[in-house]
Amino acid sequence: MDAPWLKWITDHETELVGKLAEAVAIPSISGDAKFRPEVHRMMKWVADELESLSASVEMRPLGEHTMNGAKLELPPIVLATVGTDPRKKTILLYAHADVQPASSKDSGWSGEDPFELRHDKATGRLYGRGSTDDKGPLVGWLNVLKAHAETKTELPVNLKFCIEGMEESGSEGLDELVEKEAKKYFAGTDAVCISDNYWLNTTKPALTYGLRGIAYFFLHINGPGSDLHSGLFGAMASEPMVDVVALMSKLVDSSGKILVPGLLDQVAKLTPEERKRYEDLDFSANDIYDAIGSKTTLSDDKVTLLMARMRNPSLSLHGIEGAFAEPGSKTVIPCKVTGKFSIRLVPDMQPEKVVSLVRDHLETEFAKLNSKNTMSVECGHAAKAWVADPTDANFTAAAKAIKTVWGVDPQLTREGGSIPVTLTFADNVAPTMLLPMGRSDDGAHSAPEKLDISNYIKGTQVLGLYLHEAAKLL
């Protein structure tokens, strides 16, 4: 820990917090059309920062798309290269610069501007939208470049950057770009590092070697030609809400068991070695109680909970579009409703097979209703699960960096969420690893979102040390 660039990071904490504040100040909300100019401004900020650090930068346009009926220009992908020395290994770094919506009116922000980074020195926390997801890690990589440049320390590897502005809205256009550029821009990449996830708890750093996939469904029920008055037409017309509620109750039960026949048959068998990994993790049911704010877990057993999150599929019901959901009462019979649900996929589940099984199951159950309404099932998007070898050189390099900075070995974890581009990189570019900066209680996507300053500063040091270890091990 005596390298000049490592000391520079520690000594310039105030400057590095200021740089993160610059990034957080841009409300780059990709899921809201009125903020699209801000996403473009954010991508330009990233490109300018990388250019100022001697990177060769290209802003790759992705064309247009339609959001809520409006035609919008997709934010460009920032592709940047630092170093082309054929004697060095090449690491690809991925991050995203867009964020979830946020407003000072949201209760968690307590009237504070979520796009003004607030340093609570009493708790050592940095509050602001995007602070942990994913601007903290993104700016961390910029800090690594700055630290090496300021101390005249040569980077031990060549770097390629792939920074997008649509991750929170489906990463539209990114998969196609990666596949197209696999043998062009991304050619020669030896390893991929993504820092867009979190520790399993608040006390021990982690490395992530698996993500669940996802299949998101829309269950459409169409009935009368228009909404109806329940007093005039109740018990006369076939009601779509009745059908959609009946069908969604046939998908999952109150114990979390998936009711779609054949779906669980695809799940990879649990080996004793894999089970031991869950047994050895520093985790308890209390970690989940704290995260969800109650003791309403489906189990109190540590291993059962971890497997439910990391290696077993889940089916969640998300909502019913078209139903009355405002405060007060309204005696309407909706003419058309859409039930929304998703399945988190695990090895060895194939999205195409999952979609087929779900559709067959719902068609069978709908036939039993003898309804005069019509039903259709649509899969909005799907992605396979990803699992890597946590003992390979890429993970070993990151583990050594974590041990040096934090003084402990990282926990090896699998995430319950999905980052579909991870699999795209792994399949088309090079072995891929997730190296989290933030903690489990950071509140990404919620209010208030935060990043502990220790995670920001030490996490930046971990990112840099990972590059030096990778140069020796890859």
Side-chain angles (χ1 to χ4, degrees):
M1 292 287 290
D2 57 351
W5 66 270
L6 282 167
K7 185 175 184 301
W8 187 93
I9 291 172
T10 302
D11 292 345
H12 290 76
E13 176 182 301
T14 300
E15 178 182 338
L16 302 189
V17 170
K19 185 59 65 176
L20 179 57
E22 287 182 33
V24 168
I26 303 175
S28 49
I29 304 168
S30 59
D32 189 330
K34 67 177 178 287
F35 285 95
R36 185 54 55 86
E38 296 295 339
V39 184
H40 284 269
R41 182 161 74 97
M42 186 69 214
M43 302 312 294
K44 181 65 165 55
W45 183 90
V46 171
D48 288 346
E49 288 294 318
L50 283 166
E51 283 189 339
S52 73
L53 294 166
S54 301
S56 174
V57 180
E58 175 188 1
M59 297 183 72
R60 183 71 63 88
L62 294 177
E64 295 182 332
H65 75 138
T66 301
M67 175 181 285
N68 299 328
K71 185 169 285 189
L72 302 171
E73 183 182 352
L74 284 164
I77 300 287
V78 173
L79 300 176
T81 302
V82 179
T84 58
D85 189 337
R87 297 168 298 177
K88 295 180 179 179
K89 299 296 183 180
T90 298
I91 308 292
L92 170 64
L93 308 176
Y94 163 87
H96 67 89
D98 61 319
V99 299
Q100 286 281 313
S103 169
S104 59
K105 297 178 181 178
D106 298 335
S107 60
W109 294 109
S110 303
E112 300 282 349
D113 181 358
F115 296 100
E116 181 177 335
L117 191 71
R118 179 169 61 90
H119 185 183
D120 185 340
K121 294 187 178 180
T123 61
R125 291 176 169 180
L126 303 168
Y127 289 95
R129 175 57 89 221
S131 56
T132 192
D133 183 23
D134 186 36
K135 291 182 178 179
L138 169 57
V139 176
W141 286 118
L142 300 177
N143 296 338
V144 169
L145 294 181
K146 183 71 177 290
H148 281 74
E150 290 295 317
T151 59
K152 295 181 172 51
T153 304
E154 182 181 358
L155 281 171
V157 295
N158 302 316
L159 294 177
K160 291 180 183 288
F161 287 83
C162 179
I163 314 296
E164 69 159 320
M166 286 293 289
E167 193 274 344
E168 303 290 5
S169 300
S171 293
E172 193 162 345
L174 179 60
D175 285 343
E176 294 82 359
L177 182 142
V178 173
E179 291 168 1
K180 178 182 176 182
E181 294 292 329
K183 292 181 170 53
K184 298 176 184 176
Y185 172 75
F186 298 115
T189 298
D190 296 289
V192 180
C193 180
I194 296 173
S195 188
D196 186 22
N197 66 311
Y198 314 94
W199 295 1
L200 180 62
N201 55 28
T202 62
T203 58
K204 281 194 175 181
L207 282 174
T208 301
Y209 66 96
L211 294 166
R212 291 195 293 188
I214 189 171
Y216 197 100
F217 293 91
F218 300 91
L219 169 59
H220 303 293
I221 306 289
N222 288 275
S226 63
D227 289 353
L228 302 176
H229 187 299
S230 65
L232 299 178
F233 298 102
M236 293 179 65
S238 185
E239 300 191 15
M241 271 290 287
V242 173
D243 291 352
V244 79
V245 170
L247 291 175
M248 292 180 80
S249 74
K250 302 296 184 181
L251 293 169
V252 62
D253 68 16
S254 58
S255 68
K257 180 182 178 182
I258 298 174
L259 303 177
V260 180
L263 195 144
L264 296 179
D265 296 340
Q266 300 180 65
V267 179
K269 300 301 181 185
L270 177 68
T271 65
E273 293 78 13
E274 183 187 352
R275 180 181 174 84
K276 189 172 187 309
R277 282 183 183 163
Y278 304 123
E279 293 172 347
D280 291 344
L281 287 173
D282 181 5
F283 181 84
S284 74
N286 287 326
D287 292 310
I288 296 296
Y289 301 155
D290 292 342
I292 67 177
S294 73
K295 294 187 177 181
T296 55
T297 53
L298 295 177
S299 171
D300 296 313
D301 176 66
K302 161 187 164 177
V303 173
T304 300
L305 288 172
L306 285 172
M307 291 198 298
R309 173 171 169 170
M310 296 182 181
R311 68 97 54 208
N312 293 335
S314 63
L315 193 156
S316 299
L317 308 180
H318 302 303
I320 301 177
E321 184 177 337
F324 176 63
E326 302 301 322
S329 59
K330 183 179 181 181
T331 56
V332 66
I333 298 172
C335 65
K336 175 184 178 181
V337 292
T338 299
K340 301 178 182 181
F341 64 96
S342 70
I343 301 174
R344 295 289 175 169
L345 311 182
V346 299
D348 298 314
M349 299 171 76
Q350 298 299 316
E352 300 82 3
K353 180 65 173 176
V354 169
V355 172
S356 177
L357 289 171
V358 168
R359 184 173 284 120
D360 289 347
H361 175 60
L362 287 171
E363 288 175 350
T364 298
E365 293 298 325
F366 183 67
K368 295 177 183 178
L369 300 179
N370 294 315
S371 173
K372 289 187 176 180
N373 296 321
T374 60
M375 182 207 78
S376 63
V377 181
E378 172 192 359
C379 181
H381 59 273
K384 292 195 299 183
W386 164 77
V387 176
D389 176 5
T391 66
D392 75 10
N394 202 22
F395 281 87
T396 302
K400 285 179 173 291
I402 288 171
K403 182 67 177 287
T404 299
V405 173
W406 289 102
V408 296
D409 292 317
Q411 301 206 86
L412 297 175
T413 66
R414 287 164 62 171
E415 281 282 359
S418 308
I419 308 175
V421 75
T422 305
L423 187 63
T424 306
F425 282 130
D427 285 349
N428 294 276
V429 180
T432 303
M433 172 195 61
L434 268 65
L435 174 54
M437 174 181 280
R439 304 186 185 194
S440 62
D441 64 347
D442 280 355
H445 291 211
S446 64
E449 179 180 344
K450 63 86 176 171
L451 176 65
D452 289 74
I453 194 163
S454 59
N455 284 65
Y456 179 48
I457 299 302
K458 289 189 174 183
T460 294
Q461 292 176 323
V462 167
L463 297 180
L465 274 174
Y466 155 68
L467 301 181
H468 285 265
E469 295 292 350
K472 295 182 284 187
L473 294 173
L474 288 179

